[in-house]
């Protein structure tokens, strides 16, 4: 009888759906994008589990739809059987939680959000491969994650204030943002990333963190703070800005980099002795090398032809040369406490290649000889005018040095705003 079989179906509904799920999901193992069906009882607009019993209710759900939050005074938690969450998995404020396991979980379409889990030391996600966003914040006891399959599809990674020692298992090759900061035990990052569409930032992890992004070909923004080595051997293009701030790098070499779409910054890298970006031909924004106390020579930019913003070099270097430079759209401010020869920049200025309204080049000896001319005009406009006037004169060493003297006379006026500008830029990167 028809009624009877419908009643029977109803009684067996959960079993029937569970069987259906198993069939569908074995197909989905091959392709993360295929969608599992949602059995009744597995659709939650949002649910909060505060005990293991709450999680056991989902054991027959291959897929959960909605956001699942785990919170409260659980000591351990496990989500068994669930292969996909079409939504977010949030674990927060579970200060007694030491262990979380999701033995079958392969996909989370939205966010995996783990926050303020002060004694969590075991995180087992053996099957996890696809996640919208990873957000791990304040997990001070977490030193490793079990990721047997490995994460291959993620849009965004934010990992802050954990005890992670490696990022092994984060095997993604392309994403929007990668921000890993303040993980004090993180000693090395060896990434498979090939491109980063929005921003890549590695900052304030272990003081000795060694960072390798050797498959990375392009990234929008890149910022490194407080790293001890960086390898970017495949990097060809930075679409926006590239910055090295307050690192302990001794040297940096990026052989394949040819173009930077925004600014290039090296600020307060106290051990930095050598920068070698020998194939870089253009920087579309500003170019700042400031306060790198061990940097005595700036000579690693043999191919650099154009700078779209201003050049600011401040430090204790004795030689700065940009032999291929043809055009600087902004001003040039070079100030060294070392014995710097300004001749090559003076001749660029005379050729009209420095298009901004200020040109300053000041070294220890230039500043000494310019004291003779210290009563000369000191406004930006007149120093610019006097140097272009001398540019129309026959090039001789005496006219070159007089242009450098006139420029040096305006240094005192400009230094404050230059430093303020560099400091503001550095703050914007932090
Ligand atoms: C965290 O959980 C405690 C109890 O375990 C509760 O009193 C507190 O309000 C919760 N805080 C948040 C931000 O949920
Ligand atoms: C960055 O530049 C690369 C190489 O030119 C290009 O393929 C990529 O689409 C650019 N990315 C962005 C976000 O503009
Ligand atoms: C650097 O660029 C050259 C020429 O494009 C290429 O042959 C080489 O493989 C690149 N090196 C790396 C490490 O990507
Ligand atoms: C630079 O790093 C030191 C510690 O290494 C820190 O105290 C200081 O605040 C950092 N400065 C900036 C500008 O980030
Ligand atoms: C980098 O420049 C060198 C010469 O300075 C050249 O031999 C090499 O092919 C260039 N590499 C790339 C990737 O352009
Ligand atoms: C500049 O460098 C020289 C060595 O090249 C050193 O003797 C001097 O103390 C440095 N000055 C400053 C202000 O760092
Ligand atoms: C500065 O460096 C350039 C390039 O390395 C070199 O040709 C030049 O002789 C150096 N000048 C001084 C004064 O050391
Ligand atoms: C450079 O160092 C000087 C002196 O230590 C400091 O006043 C200035 O703020 C530093 N600039 C930057 C951009 O860190
Ligand atoms: C890239 O970096 C620059 C300079 O720090 C900043 O102004 C800009 O907002 C950054 N863009 C992105 C997409 O992060």
């Amino acid at each position: 009888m028809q009624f009877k079989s419908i009643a029977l179906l109803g009684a067996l509904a959960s079993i029937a759906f569970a069987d259906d799920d198993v069939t569908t999901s074995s197909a989905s193992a091959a392709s993360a994008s295929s969608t599992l069906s949602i059995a009744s009882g597995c659709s939650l607009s949002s649910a909060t589990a505060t005990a293991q019993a709450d999680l056991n209710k989902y054991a027959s759900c291959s897929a959960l739809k909605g956001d699942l939050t785990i919170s409260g005074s659980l000591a351990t938690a496990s989500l068994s059987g669930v292969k996909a969450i079409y939504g977010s998995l949030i674990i927060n404020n579970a200060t007694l939680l030491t262990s979380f396991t999701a033995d079958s979980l392969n996909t989370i379409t939205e966010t995996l959000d783990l926050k303020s889990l002060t004694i969590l030391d075991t995180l087992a996600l053996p099957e996890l491969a696809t996640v919208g966003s990873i957000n791990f914040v304040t997990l001070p006891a977490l030193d490793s994650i079990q990721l047997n399959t490995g994460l291959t599809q993620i849009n965004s990674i934010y990992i802050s204030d954990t005890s992670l020692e490696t990022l092994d298992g984060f095997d993604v090759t392309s994403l929007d943002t990668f921000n890993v900061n303040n993980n004090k035990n993180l000693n090395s990052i060896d990434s498979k990333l090939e491109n980063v569409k929005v921003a890549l930032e590695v900052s304030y992890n272990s003081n000795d963190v060694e960072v390798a992004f050797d498959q990375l070909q392009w990234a929008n923004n890149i910022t490194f703070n407080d790293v001890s080595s960086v390898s970017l051997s495949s990097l060809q293009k930075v679409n926006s800005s590239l910055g090295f701030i307050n690192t302990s790098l001794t040297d940096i070499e990026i052989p394949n980099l040819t173009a930077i779409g925004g600014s290039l910054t090296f600020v307060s890298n106290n051990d930095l002795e050598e920068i070698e970006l020998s194939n870089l031909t253009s920087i579309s924004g500003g170019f700042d090398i400031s306060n790198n106390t061990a940097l005595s020579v700036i000579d690693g930019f043999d191919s650099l032809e154009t700078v779209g913003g201003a050049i600011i070099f401040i430090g204790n270097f004795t030689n700065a040369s940009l032999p291929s430079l043809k055009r600087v759209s902004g001003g040039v401010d070079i100030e060294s406490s070392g014995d710097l020869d300004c001749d090559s920049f003076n001749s660029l200025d005379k050729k009209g290649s420095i298009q901004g309204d200020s040109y300053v080049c000041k070294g220890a000896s230039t500043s000494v000889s310019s004291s003779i001319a210290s009563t000369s005009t000191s406004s930006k406009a007149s120093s610019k005018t006097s140097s272009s006037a001398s540019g129309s004169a026959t090039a001789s060493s005496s006219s070159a040095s007089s242009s450098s003297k006139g420029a040096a006379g305006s240094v005192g006026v400009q230094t404050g705003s230059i430093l303020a500008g560099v400091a503001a830029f550095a703050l914007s990167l932090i």
Side-chain angles (χ1 to χ4, degrees):
M1 248 194 107
Q2 198 130 31
F3 271 117
K4 203 166 195 172
S5 62
I6 287 169
L8 192 67
L9 260 179
L12 298 175
S14 61
I15 298 166
F17 273 113
D19 284 344
D20 185 39
D21 284 347
V22 170
T23 329
T24 327
S25 62
S26 54
S28 88
S31 153
S33 57
S34 71
T35 305
L36 300 178
S37 63
I38 309 300
S40 71
C42 302
S43 187
L44 11 131
S45 72
S46 76
T48 300
T50 55
Q52 182 57 43
D54 298 331
L55 295 172
N56 293 344
K57 287 189 292 193
Y58 306 120
S60 64
C61 296
S62 284
L64 286 178
K65 187 169 169 44
D67 299 335
L68 175 60
T69 299
I70 300 172
S71 196
S73 51
L74 310 78
T76 66
S78 94
L79 183 65
S80 264
V82 176
K83 295 185 166 72
I85 296 177
Y86 300 120
S88 295
L89 174 60
I90 300 150
I91 311 179
N92 65 20
N93 196 26
T95 49
L96 303 179
L97 189 69
T98 58
S99 163
F100 177 74
T101 302
D103 57 11
S104 308
L105 190 61
N106 172 269
T107 300
I108 299 170
T109 57
E110 305 285 325
T111 304
L112 173 59
D113 194 354
L114 271 53
K115 210 176 287 172
S116 302
L117 308 172
T118 43
I119 59 172
L120 182 78
D121 62 12
T122 303
L123 179 60
L125 302 166
E127 301 285 313
L128 194 63
T130 300
V131 182
S133 301
I134 294 261
N135 195 33
F136 291 170
V137 178
T138 314
L139 311 173
L142 188 68
D143 60 10
S144 68
I145 306 173
Q146 189 190 331
L147 291 167
N148 303 20
T149 298
L151 292 160
T152 49
Q153 245 184 295
I154 315 179
N155 292 330
S156 166
I157 295 176
Y158 186 89
I159 300 178
S160 178
D161 191 15
T162 74
S163 289
L164 289 175
E165 288 164 10
T166 72
L167 298 180
D168 292 353
F170 287 78
D171 296 335
V172 61
T173 56
S174 173
L175 47 56
D176 290 342
T177 62
F178 178 98
N179 186 324
V180 173
N181 68 79
N182 290 286
N183 302 285
K184 296 302 177 193
N185 294 345
L186 189 60
N187 286 315
S188 79
I189 298 176
D190 189 355
S191 169
K192 298 185 169 73
L193 278 172
E194 293 169 8
N195 60 70
V196 177
K197 298 185 191 78
V198 178
L200 165 58
E201 178 171 338
V202 176
S203 49
Y204 305 111
N205 297 292
S206 157
N207 285 337
D208 300 323
V209 65
E210 299 189 344
V211 174
F213 287 89
D214 282 324
Q215 314 303 316
L216 189 68
Q217 287 167 17
W218 60 264
N220 189 45
N221 263 13
I222 305 181
T223 308
F224 293 108
N225 281 279
D226 202 14
V227 296
S228 73
S229 76
V230 174
S231 176
L232 296 164
S233 59
S234 303
L235 186 65
Q236 292 170 9
K237 178 165 178 187
V238 176
N239 307 63
S240 183
S241 297
L242 172 61
F244 299 84
I245 317 290
N246 210 3
T247 72
S248 54
L249 294 173
T250 56
D251 59 280
I252 176 79
E253 190 179 343
I254 316 179
N256 272 13
L257 181 63
T258 56
I260 295 177
S263 55
L264 174 61
T265 306
F266 296 87
V267 172
S268 298
N269 304 287
N270 289 339
D271 301 322
L272 189 61
E273 290 171 1
E274 193 181 350
I275 308 173
E276 188 76 45
L277 272 58
S278 56
N279 281 11
L280 180 65
T281 57
S282 72
I283 299 171
S284 302
F287 182 17
D288 294 294
I289 301 183
S290 300
N291 282 15
N292 305 287
T293 49
L295 190 66
S296 58
V297 179
I298 299 176
D299 68 350
F301 301 91
D302 285 354
S303 307
L304 185 64
E305 294 176 3
T306 57
V307 174
I311 292 180
I312 300 173
F313 293 167
I314 297 171
N316 185 22
F317 40 87
T318 52
N319 191 351
S321 70
L322 300 171
S324 303
L325 193 62
K326 294 192 173 78
R327 194 183 73 244
V328 183
S329 305
V332 170
D333 295 292
I334 299 176
E335 296 177 38
S336 175
S337 53
D339 194 4
L340 178 70
D341 180 349
C342 288
D343 282 358
S344 69
F345 293 99
N346 290 340
S347 60
L348 267 178
D349 186 40
K350 279 189 297 172
K351 280 192 298 193
S353 305
I354 298 170
Q355 297 172 352
D357 65 0
S358 70
Y359 169 62
V360 171
C361 185
K362 176 188 171 242
S365 67
T366 359
S367 139
V368 168
S369 63
S370 75
S371 63
I372 303 160
S374 64
T375 54
S376 71
T377 55
S378 64
S379 80
K380 287 183 197 175
S382 58
S383 96
K384 187 66 186 173
T385 308
S386 85
S387 55
S388 39
S390 64
S392 64
T394 315
S396 73
S397 61
S398 73
S399 75
S401 72
S402 80
S403 118
S404 126
K405 286 169 193 168
S410 67
V411 163
V413 179
Q414 294 182 31
T415 306
S417 66
I418 293 161
L419 288 177
V422 174
F425 181 80
L427 285 173
S428 78
L429 284 173
I430 291 163

